[in-house]
């Protein structure tokens, strides 16, 4: 509310309502958004070029006005498929698996010939010790194939194909969603989980083969073999990863992005994400009950670096935010950015006030495993910028020009910068 109050939201013409769109990420973004403009009334609008770590004002018609026209085709749904400008997804509604994900932009199939995606499998899971921490496969394995309640819908925002899948005493309701201009398929899940010593996974037989999969880890990435040859590699039948995993060759790949699930396995060309477990110790009812989570499938040209998977995953889990505002003057104008970085492989992960001064502390991370030099731009002129350690002790000076400074980063380097504004 404080930032909205400082924006200039006066309309360029009458009959329009100002909407302030916030971008929490440090790069410029665009998206179709839906926002309320009156009780029971919403409007879809195109929020283009919202500045990095900043905000921009848009104007929409008042309540009761016709919807805003868009040159892009709205997503569509059929009996067994959904489609938008980027993807066509075909589904076997008899068992809930995906039989095709066609990337129109790359003209490539994301799934292998005859392979399926969104395959739910239940594994027996009985660890010898540390029940809630270890995984102990028993050899039991069942595919979830019972489906009920198929639904289909589409509007100007997205196309949706949904169904409920049943196994034992549990049920998983899934909705496959393609946004208006989204290059990825979103799968929204609502689960009622009531099993004991079972592990639920979702798998994808990919149309690309690679010796290893790449996983996001804290402030970096790691590759792990999909064709284990040593005892140590074979022991990694389940591996940790954070926001995404990717399987790519030099020409094409598929990233799977998750909002809250962090266990994976990759063998051959099958990538699986662990969804739910059911241990009995130390909590006899651990994980039982209701769960809501999302994962997305993002086919792309090139490898994960060329596809910008790091940024795409952040956008999926950190959407643009929109809020109505009254019309008024403001010192920040119609658009403002507080900080941005010009190199896609370098992310600004934190901006804060220094603990012992009025300086600003920035934390930068190199994600692509490459030596890079980045230019950081702030909203206010800079007096000085210096490298610092985690205790915020100032070190070497960095070159400053007006509102920018430049910094050279090694592969996967985490850098802290202490900035003195010019006041």
């Amino acid at each position: 509310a404080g930032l909205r109050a400082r924006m200039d939201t006066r309309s360029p013409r009458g009959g329009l309502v100002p909407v302030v769109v916030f971008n929490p990420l440090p790069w410029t973004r665009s998206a179709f958004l839906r926002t309320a403009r009156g009780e029971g009334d919403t409007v879809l609008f195109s929020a283009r070029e919202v500045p990095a770590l900043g905000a921009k004002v848009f104007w929409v018609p008042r309540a009761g006005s016709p919807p805003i026209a868009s040159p892009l085709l709205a997503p569509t749904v059929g009996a067994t498929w959904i489609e938008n400008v980027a993807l066509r997804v075909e589904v076997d509604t008899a068992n809930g698996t995906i039989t095709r994900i066609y990337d129109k932009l790359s003209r490539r199939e994301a799934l292998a010939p005859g392979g399926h995606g969104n395959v739910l499998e239940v594994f027996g899971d009985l660890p010898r010790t540390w029940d809630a921490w270890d995984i102990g496969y028993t050899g039991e394995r069942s595919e979830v194939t019972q489906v009920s309640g198929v639904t289909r819908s589409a509007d100007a925002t997205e196309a949706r194909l949904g169904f409920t899948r049943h196994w034992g005493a549990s049920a998983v309701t899934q909705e496959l969603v393609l946004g208006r201009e989204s290059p990825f398929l979103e799968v929204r899940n609502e689960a009622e989980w009531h099993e004991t010593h079972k592990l639920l996974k979702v798998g994808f037989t990919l149309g690309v083969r690679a010796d290893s999969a790449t996983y996001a880890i804290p402030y970096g990435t790691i590759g792990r073999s999909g064709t284990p040859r040593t005892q140590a590699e074979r022991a990694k039948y389940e591996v940790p990863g954070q926001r995404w995993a990717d399987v790519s060759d030099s020409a094409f790949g598929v990233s799977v992005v998750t909002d809250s699930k962090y266990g994976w396995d990759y063998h051959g060309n099958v990538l699986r994400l662990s969804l739910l477990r059911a241990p009995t110790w130390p909590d006899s009812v651990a994980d039982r009950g209701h769960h809501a989570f999302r994962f997305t499938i993002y086919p792309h040209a090139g490898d994960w670096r060329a596809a910008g998977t790091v940024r795409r995953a952040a956008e999926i889990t950190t959407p643009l935010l929109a809020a109505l505002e009254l019309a008024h003057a403001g010192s920040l104008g119609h658009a403002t950015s507080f900080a941005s970085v010009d190199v896609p492989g370098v992310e600004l992960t934190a901006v804060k006030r220094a603990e012992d001064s009025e300086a600003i502390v920035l934390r930068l991370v190199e994600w692509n495993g490459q030596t890079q030099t980045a230019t950081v731009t702030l909203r206010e002129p800079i007096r000085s910028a210096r490298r610092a350690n985690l205790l915020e002790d100032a070190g070497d000076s960095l070159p400053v020009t007006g509102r920018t400074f430049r910094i050279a980063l090694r592969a996967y380097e985490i850098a802290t910068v202490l900035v003195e504004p010019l006041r």
Side-chain angles (χ1 to χ4, degrees):
L3 182 56
R4 294 203 310 267
R6 296 170 62 194
M7 302 294 293
D8 185 349
T9 58
R10 293 171 294 182
S11 173
R13 58 185 179 87
L16 299 177
V17 178
V19 177
V20 181
V21 177
F22 303 92
N23 179 7
L25 296 177
W27 55 84
T28 301
R29 299 166 63 192
S30 301
F32 278 94
L33 301 177
R34 186 177 291 279
T35 188
R37 57 177 179 179
E39 187 173 349
D41 184 26
T42 63
V43 62
L44 176 72
F45 68 100
S46 178
R48 316 312 293 178
E49 301 294 314
V50 183
L53 278 178
K56 185 175 181 178
V57 182
F58 297 86
W59 292 271
V60 301
R62 295 186 181 279
S65 302
I68 300 173
S70 170
L72 285 178
L73 294 175
T76 54
V77 61
T80 59
W81 53 268
I82 52 177
E83 187 170 2
N84 68 358
V85 295
L87 298 173
R88 180 179 174 87
V89 177
E90 299 177 4
V91 181
D92 184 344
T93 53
N95 59 27
T97 62
I98 297 172
T99 58
R100 188 186 191 196
I101 304 175
Y102 178 64
D103 181 359
K104 300 179 183 180
L105 305 179
S106 301
R107 298 182 180 179
R108 289 283 301 265
E109 300 284 351
L111 301 178
H116 289 193
N118 196 37
V119 177
L120 289 185
E121 293 177 286
V122 178
F123 295 82
D125 177 19
L126 188 59
R128 295 179 182 177
T129 56
W130 307 112
D131 196 27
W133 290 268
D134 291 350
I135 290 175
Y137 289 125
T138 65
E140 176 190 359
R141 174 178 173 181
S142 301
E143 187 174 329
V144 181
T145 58
Q146 184 182 347
V147 171
S148 67
V150 179
T151 62
R152 304 167 184 86
S153 61
D155 55 30
T157 311
E158 53 190 32
R160 298 169 288 269
L161 198 158
F163 40 81
T164 299
R165 306 167 83 174
H166 305 268
W167 194 90
S170 301
V172 181
T173 298
Q174 294 188 300
E175 191 171 51
L176 279 56
V177 181
L178 285 178
R180 189 181 185 100
E181 56 181 4
S182 171
F184 56 83
L185 169 69
E186 179 182 2
V187 183
R188 301 170 185 167
N189 301 268
E190 297 272 346
E192 292 295 337
W193 183 244
H194 302 287
E195 306 303 324
T196 299
H197 287 130
K198 297 292 187 288
L199 168 62
L200 179 68
K201 284 178 170 281
V202 62
F204 298 85
T205 302
L206 302 176
V208 57
R209 284 187 175 270
D211 182 64
S212 63
T214 302
Y215 304 88
I217 59 175
Y219 285 165
T221 63
I222 189 170
R224 295 190 175 101
S225 175
T227 53
R229 299 176 180 87
T230 67
Q231 183 177 355
E233 289 179 343
R234 286 191 292 272
K236 298 174 184 177
Y237 52 84
E238 177 88 357
V239 298
Q242 292 201 316
R243 195 151 41 186
W244 57 268
D246 180 88
V247 178
S248 298
D249 57 25
S250 60
F252 183 73
V254 179
S255 299
V256 177
V257 179
T258 167
D259 70 344
S260 57
K261 307 297 178 181
Y262 308 115
W264 307 81
D265 73 79
Y266 174 61
H267 299 285
N269 63 331
V270 178
L271 178 66
R272 293 188 184 92
L273 172 64
S274 296
L275 303 178
L276 295 168
R277 295 188 65 229
T280 58
W281 182 85
D283 181 355
S284 61
V285 292
D287 289 356
R288 284 25 164 234
H290 182 76
H291 297 261
F293 52 90
R294 298 180 302 139
F295 55 84
T296 62
I297 301 90
Y298 171 42
H300 55 76
D303 66 4
W304 60 271
R305 296 178 181 87
T309 292
V310 171
R311 287 192 170 187
R312 184 69 67 188
E315 291 170 357
I316 289 169
T317 54
T318 311
L320 295 173
L321 305 173
L324 291 174
E325 180 65 11
L326 298 174
H328 53 68
S331 61
L332 296 180
H334 296 322
T336 188
S337 171
F338 291 94
S340 63
V341 185
D342 69 335
V343 177
V346 176
E347 185 176 351
L348 178 60
T349 61
V351 180
K352 64 180 285 288
R353 182 64 59 85
E355 297 296 315
D356 300 320
S357 72
E358 294 300 306
I360 298 169
V361 176
L362 308 179
R363 186 148 294 123
L364 297 144
V365 180
E366 200 293 313
W367 273 95
N368 286 351
Q370 302 167 345
T371 300
Q372 303 203 62
T373 299
T375 299
V376 180
T377 303
L378 303 184
R379 183 176 177 274
E380 304 294 338
I382 300 170
R383 180 188 302 277
S384 67
R386 304 180 70 179
R387 283 183 174 267
N389 60 21
L390 292 179
L391 296 178
E392 301 177 8
D393 300 321
D396 295 339
S397 295
L398 298 170
V400 172
T401 304
R403 298 186 298 115
T404 69
F405 68 85
R406 289 178 62 78
I407 182 170
L409 297 168
R410 301 185 306 276
Y412 295 118
E413 181 179 359
I414 304 168
T416 300
V417 179
L418 204 61
V419 175
E420 294 280 355
L422 182 64
R423 291 191 175 95

